[in-house]
Amino acid sequence: NAQYEHILTSRPAEGVALITLNRPKALNALSTPLFIELNDAVANFDHDDDVRALVLTGSERVFAAGADIKEMKDKRYSDVFKNKFLESWSLLTQIRKPIIAAVSGYALGGGCELAMMCDIILASPSAVFGQPEINIGVIPGGGGTQRLARAIGKSRTMELTLTGRNFTAAEAADWGLISRVSENVLEDAISVASTIASKGAIAVQAGKEAVNVAYETTLHEGLRYERRIFHGLFATNDQKEGMSAFAEKRKPTWTHS
Ligand code: CAA
């Protein structure tokens, strides 16, 4: 933890890593230094064999209030273009292990986009989502227009993007943006992560990869891809163990190999 200034990391359960955004004074605004730390922590956990699922959270009050407006306000086109501003945010989507967002309070702009970059979103009843960038003269730049449109459809995404209005956890659940509303969102997210961590890690990572392909390709190609990955799992010890354990009416012991 000592190496990070804007985030906290911990191991709340067997196989589970927790990353907590921790810039309370700026409502967890996603500054460049914060994102460098976040990407570093995520990459380290992705490479750590003792971690099989991640949880990302903020505080009760705020998940993240967006990109850091104070950092952005004086930037010019030439700055953001040359420096590929926000491009490194998507590194988070390239990790193999599943990452669960536990959202309380504000998830606005880049905060909403960050939650959408995760694999599963759980939100407390207090969560407030939105893409308010239109109110500061821009549009979402961290995937908001694309990921929201895929998750909740064009009409809603247009309305939200062009009016900048916030939406509630209940709306997010109705629209299928999040898995569910949870009173104890962090505890619940850790419990989901724990369950995932109790499975064979290779199958979990294969499952994540296959589901994500559904967002990138045609149904025909996606089904082919899924079958290829499914076939590939027959080369793992965990497939032998899982199916033998079922036949022998015992619990499997995964070796993640
Ligand atoms: N960037 C930088 N600082 C921010 C911030 C942000 N996104 N959001 C809040 N802060 C800072 C405030 O400036 C304030 O700092 P000071 O104490 O130094 O003045 C501190 O956090 C507390 O904020 P407020 O006083 O505004 O708190 P509030 O409870 O009255 O309001 C809020 C909360 C509704 C979330 C409000 O802070 C707000 O509207 N924030 C901005 C939300 C936003 O527009 N997000 C989109 C950013 S653009 C983006 O994300 C682009 C993209 O697509 C990647």
Side-chain angles (χ1 to χ4, degrees):
N1 249 341
Q3 78 260 41
Y4 299 127
E5 197 182 329
H6 308 299
I7 61 173
L8 304 169
T9 60
S10 61
R11 312 283 180 110
E14 167 77 28
V16 178
L18 173 65
I19 301 175
T20 306
L21 304 173
N22 187 35
R23 273 190 89 198
K25 286 193 185 126
L27 302 190
N28 292 339
L30 303 167
S31 61
T32 299
L34 182 150
F35 234 99
I36 288 170
E37 293 187 359
L38 179 58
N39 279 333
D40 184 70
V42 161
N44 286 338
F45 287 136
D46 204 31
H47 290 117
D48 183 335
D49 280 344
D50 293 335
V51 172
R52 292 185 294 283
L54 282 68
V55 175
L56 176 64
T57 197
S59 64
E60 285 273 321
R61 183 178 177 211
V62 63
F63 179 73
D68 191 320
I69 300 170
K70 290 165 186 165
E71 177 189 322
M72 287 187 291
K73 79 182 190 19
D74 296 322
K75 286 191 194 295
R76 302 194 56 81
Y77 175 77
S78 53
D79 302 321
V80 293
F81 180 83
K82 277 194 295 194
N83 297 322
K84 301 182 179 179
F85 184 55
L86 300 191
E87 204 171 295
S88 67
W89 281 24
S90 60
L91 286 174
L92 193 97
T93 63
Q94 284 160 33
I95 67 162
R96 280 260 176 100
K97 295 172 187 173
I99 173 159
I100 302 168
V103 178
S104 286
Y106 295 112
L108 299 179
C112 186
E113 293 169 311
L114 177 59
M116 290 193 288
M117 282 189 255
C118 297
D119 301 303
I120 298 172
I121 308 176
L122 302 183
S124 76
S126 73
V128 175
F129 296 88
Q131 297 293 162
E133 289 88 344
I134 200 77
N135 299 325
I136 55 169
V138 290
I139 67 168
T145 62
Q146 305 304 300
R147 290 201 175 90
L148 256 191
R150 278 167 172 74
I152 68 172
K154 171 174 161 176
S155 183
R156 288 175 187 134
T157 302
M158 279 291 183
E159 185 195 331
L160 295 168
T161 306
L162 305 186
T163 67
R165 89 154 167 93
N166 294 340
F167 56 103
T168 63
E171 284 177 303
D174 267 2
W175 298 340
L177 181 67
I178 67 174
S179 290
R180 68 188 117 91
V181 181
S182 161
E183 291 284 345
N184 301 304
V185 71
L186 181 55
E187 209 177 291
D188 218 8
I190 292 168
S191 152
V192 172
S194 228
T195 302
I196 293 171
S198 74
K199 315 295 180 191
I202 297 178
V204 164
Q205 293 172 26
K208 167 170 169 166
E209 189 177 327
V211 172
N212 277 332
V213 168
Y215 286 90
E216 304 285 352
T217 191
T218 62
L219 180 59
H220 180 77
E221 282 306 310
L223 291 170
R224 244 167 67 90
Y225 197 93
E226 179 193 84
R227 210 153 42 239
R228 287 277 181 266
I229 296 184
F230 172 70
H231 290 165
L233 291 173
F234 285 72
T236 64
N237 294 325
D238 285 345
Q239 175 266 336
K240 297 287 169 296
E241 169 62 9
M243 294 191 185
S244 306
F246 177 83
E248 292 158 18
K249 300 186 189 301
R250 60 172 176 84
K251 277 191 134 188
T253 305
W254 308 120
T255 51
H256 313 296
S257 62

